[in-house]
């Protein structure tokens, strides 16, 4: 008597997508369905996250950026006032106080040179000791000489690294000025990493590497077989020529185009995603196709990888945003996000108020700078 194909097993929540060839594959099928369910939940989560990300962006643009611009201007005014007090000797300082203040302001200069080299450069020249200036110029000349010898291009490192421009035309002119060097540098980097890659590939492979490559090739062969099986079964369901309903025919046509492309590119992950879309489009016509346990486990692995990629993309999108650097919660919800953004706005306003207070105090009473020095020293600021 010929062996009958096993039927889909009904669960309380949904129909199992693929049936195995024997009852001992139920565990693998359950793992597949659990992974499929989690993938669907993660997709829904990624859609729910979108309006929250828009909220972060709106807060950053409308509330935080204006405060940061104020702080930037206030910080520069504060820096100018402190430099004037030190350089013009408006107050008498102890030797250690003077040296601490000089180094603090010089550090601010060096950190801000790329922002505006003209403005901060003139203060750096007044704050540096003769030895510090000689060391800086020696290192700069040494680096520029190496660049010239390597790339045949003369550049000014201070000018090349600046980021502040008065107009778009000035920025474009600056880019054009150093375009040749940047192109040669990128070519040099590419050649360097290419040569390193070729050297590593020329090394004799170990036994474990050879075995690993064999396993990968075998896995790819089996995957190719699984892809063809899936393609044939899905194509039967969504071939547009067999559909009478015009709306469904159009949807099936689009899915068929995607399915053919995924098959040509051997993209099993995309085929599994199309399978999910087919299940939603025609829920009463599940594919009845049997796979070996190893195939189902491969599918589970692929889906779990897709889930990790989705979760990583959510985290990456959120936590790469400058406003989210200190978000304390692991799970992002509207409530936790609103609480966090409210605190960020308040904190930024407090920073602005602190700068305003310091600028006002330094303008009225230059001796307030000594209180600032004591506070910086108490915080452990070192140079």
């Amino acid at each position: 008597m010929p062996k009958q194909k096993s039927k889909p097993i009904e669960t309380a929540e949904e129909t199992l997508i693929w049936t195995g060839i024997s009852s001992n594959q139920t565990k693998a099928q359950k793992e597949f369905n659990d992974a499929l369910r989690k993938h669907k939940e993660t997709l829904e989560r990624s859609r729910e996250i979108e309006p929250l990300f828009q909220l972060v962006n709106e807060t950053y643009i409308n509330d935080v950026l204006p405060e940061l611009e104020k702080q930037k201007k206030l910080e520069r005014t504060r820096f100018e006032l402190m430099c004037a007090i030190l350089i013009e000797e408006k107050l008498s300082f102890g030797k250690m106080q003077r040296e601490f203040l000089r180094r603090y302001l010089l550090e601010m200069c060096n950190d801000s040179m790329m922002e505006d080299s003209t403005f901060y450069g003139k203060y750096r020249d007044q704050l540096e000791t003769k030895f510090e200036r000689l060391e800086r110029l020696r290192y700069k000349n040494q680096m520029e000489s190496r660049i010239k010898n390597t790339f045949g291009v003369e550049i000014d490192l201070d000018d090349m690294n600046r980021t502040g421009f008065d107009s778009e035309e000035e920025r474009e002119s600056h880019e054009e000025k150093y375009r040749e060097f940047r192109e040669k540098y990128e070519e040099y980097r590419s050649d360097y990493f290419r040569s390193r890659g070729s050297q590593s590939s020329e090394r004799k492979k170990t036994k474990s590497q050879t075995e690993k490559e064999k396993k990968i090739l075998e896995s790819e062969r089996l995957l190719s077989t699984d892809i063809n099986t899936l393609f044939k079964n899905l194509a039967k369901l969504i071939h547009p020529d067999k559909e009478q309903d015009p709306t469904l025919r159009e949807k099936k046509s689009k899915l068929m185009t995607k399915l053919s492309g995924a098959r040509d590119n051997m993209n099993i992950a995309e085929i599994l995603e199309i399978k999910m879309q087919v299940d939603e489009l025609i829920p009463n016509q599940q594919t009845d196709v049997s796979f070996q346990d190893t195939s189902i486990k491969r599918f589970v692995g692929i889906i779990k990888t897709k889930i990790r990629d989705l979760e990583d993309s959510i985290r990456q999108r959120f936590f790469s945003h400058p406003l989210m650097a200190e978000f304390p919660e692991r799970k992002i919800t509207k409530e936790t996000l609103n609480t966090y953004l409210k605190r960020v706005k308040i904190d930024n306003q407090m920073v602005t108020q602190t700068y305003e207070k310091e600028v006002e105090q330094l303008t009225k009473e230059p001796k307030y700078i000594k209180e600032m020095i004591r506070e910086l020293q108490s915080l452990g600021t070192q140079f």
Side-chain angles (χ1 to χ4, degrees):
M1 184 175 176
K3 191 173 183 179
Q4 291 184 342
K5 186 185 290 184
S6 57
K7 298 294 181 183
I9 302 170
E10 297 291 333
T11 67
E13 297 183 27
E14 63 185 268
T15 303
L16 285 168
I17 303 305
W18 290 296
T19 62
I21 59 172
S22 62
S23 59
N24 65 0
Q25 291 187 345
T26 303
K27 184 179 177 182
Q29 292 172 352
K30 183 179 181 301
E31 286 177 355
F32 176 85
N33 265 18
D34 288 343
L36 194 66
R37 194 176 297 112
K38 189 174 179 185
H39 182 272
K40 188 176 181 181
E41 289 169 359
T42 310
L43 277 174
E44 289 172 359
R45 172 87 177 133
S46 69
R47 286 191 285 267
E48 290 169 2
I49 283 292
E50 186 58 34
L52 298 184
F53 183 78
Q54 289 176 5
L55 177 62
V56 172
N57 241 358
E58 287 170 9
T59 304
Y60 184 67
I61 293 167
N62 298 329
D63 299 299
V64 176
L65 272 183
E67 287 297 319
L68 291 175
E69 284 299 315
K70 284 183 195 175
Q71 291 166 21
K72 190 176 175 182
K73 290 175 183 175
L74 287 164
E75 187 179 26
R76 181 181 274 211
T77 304
R78 171 180 172 270
F79 172 79
E80 284 183 293
L81 289 167
M82 293 174 77
C83 282
I85 292 169
L86 177 67
I87 294 168
E88 296 171 18
E89 298 184 349
K90 293 182 179 181
L91 282 178
S92 60
F93 293 98
K95 186 177 179 182
M96 290 182 66
Q97 272 189 328
R98 174 176 288 278
E99 181 60 12
F100 179 89
L101 181 58
R102 183 191 74 81
R103 290 192 178 191
Y104 173 72
L105 293 171
L106 182 59
E107 182 91 352
M108 288 181 68
C109 265
N110 292 330
D111 289 344
S112 307
M113 278 300 294
M114 287 195 291
E115 179 189 317
D116 189 341
S117 58
T118 304
F119 174 80
Y120 288 101
K122 65 182 181 183
Y123 286 106
R124 182 181 64 184
D125 292 342
Q126 296 178 76
L127 291 166
E128 278 181 327
T129 64
K130 184 177 179 181
F131 174 76
E132 287 169 341
R133 186 178 301 111
L134 288 172
E135 279 297 295
R136 174 175 60 80
L137 292 173
R138 182 186 67 79
Y139 177 76
K140 177 177 177 285
N141 292 335
Q142 188 180 65
M143 291 302 297
E144 289 173 351
S145 177
R146 285 183 184 176
I147 289 169
K148 184 179 179 181
N149 292 336
T150 305
F151 302 104
V153 178
E154 289 190 4
I155 66 167
D156 181 336
L157 282 172
D158 287 341
D159 181 53
M160 188 189 78
N161 291 327
R162 72 186 174 102
T163 56
F165 303 99
D166 294 331
S167 65
E168 184 64 22
E169 289 76 14
E170 185 185 1
R171 186 189 65 78
E172 289 176 0
S173 173
H174 182 270
E175 281 188 5
E176 186 61 37
K177 183 177 178 182
Y178 293 104
R179 188 186 303 280
E180 183 186 358
F181 165 69
R182 289 194 171 101
E183 287 175 353
K184 287 188 174 182
Y185 176 71
E186 285 303 319
E187 186 180 342
Y188 174 83
R189 269 183 92 243
S190 299
D191 290 344
Y192 172 76
F193 286 113
R194 197 181 299 119
S195 66
R196 287 196 64 180
S198 62
Q199 286 172 13
S200 62
S201 63
E202 288 170 5
R203 293 175 192 157
K204 189 176 180 181
K205 293 174 184 175
T206 62
K207 187 178 178 181
S208 63
Q209 286 175 325
T210 305
E211 288 298 318
K212 188 177 179 180
E213 286 182 1
K214 284 181 181 178
K215 285 181 181 178
I216 290 171
L217 288 171
E218 177 62 12
S219 177
E220 288 175 353
R221 185 189 68 78
L222 292 170
L223 195 58
S224 175
T225 304
D226 293 340
I227 284 172
N228 287 328
T229 306
L230 266 174
F231 176 82
K232 287 174 184 177
N233 281 274
L234 286 172
K236 287 177 186 176
L237 288 175
I238 63 172
H239 202 291
D241 293 348
K242 298 179 181 179
E243 182 57 58
Q244 301 301 316
D245 185 296
T247 306
L248 270 178
R249 190 187 305 123
E250 184 180 352
K251 290 179 179 178
K252 286 185 175 183
S253 179
K254 288 179 181 177
L255 281 173
M256 191 68 201
T257 302
K258 285 173 67 178
L259 180 63
S260 298
R263 190 270 311 268
D264 293 343
N265 294 321
M266 301 297 287
N267 189 340
I268 185 67
E270 188 175 356
I271 292 175
L272 290 172
E273 287 180 356
I274 293 167
K275 176 68 180 74
M276 297 172 202
Q277 294 173 44
V278 171
D279 292 340
E280 290 179 2
L281 184 65
I282 42 176
N284 298 324
Q285 298 182 49
Q286 301 286 308
T287 51
D288 183 16
V289 54
S290 296
F291 284 100
Q292 293 290 337
D293 218 15
T294 51
S295 294
I296 296 176
K297 286 179 179 177
R298 274 201 302 277
F299 295 151
V300 170
I302 290 164
I303 293 174
K304 284 183 176 178
T305 300
K306 294 293 289 182
I307 291 168
R308 283 195 297 272
D309 290 344
L310 269 171
E311 289 173 340
D312 288 345
S313 70
I314 291 170
R315 280 193 294 269
Q316 177 67 18
R317 189 162 186 214
F318 250 92
F319 295 108
S320 62
H321 195 287
L323 209 59
M324 298 297 291
E326 297 179 7
F327 186 73
E329 304 291 334
R330 189 170 180 182
K331 188 176 181 182
I332 304 165
T333 65
K334 190 173 182 179
E335 291 73 25
T336 58
L337 189 61
N338 275 326
T339 303
Y340 172 74
L341 293 177
K342 184 179 178 181
R343 182 172 66 79
V344 167
K345 287 191 278 189
I346 292 170
D347 288 350
N348 262 281
Q349 288 165 0
M350 288 177 65
V351 171
T352 303
Q353 289 165 10
T354 301
Y355 274 125
E356 287 171 341
K357 178 192 169 186
E358 289 181 344
V359 166
E360 184 182 356
Q361 289 286 85
L362 287 168
T363 305
K364 288 181 180 178
E365 292 287 340
K367 65 181 180 181
Y368 176 70
I369 197 170
K370 291 188 177 182
E371 187 178 325
M372 291 174 65
I373 291 171
R374 284 194 292 272
E375 187 176 346
L376 287 167
Q377 288 174 329
S378 70
L379 293 171
T381 305
Q382 294 181 351
F383 310 101

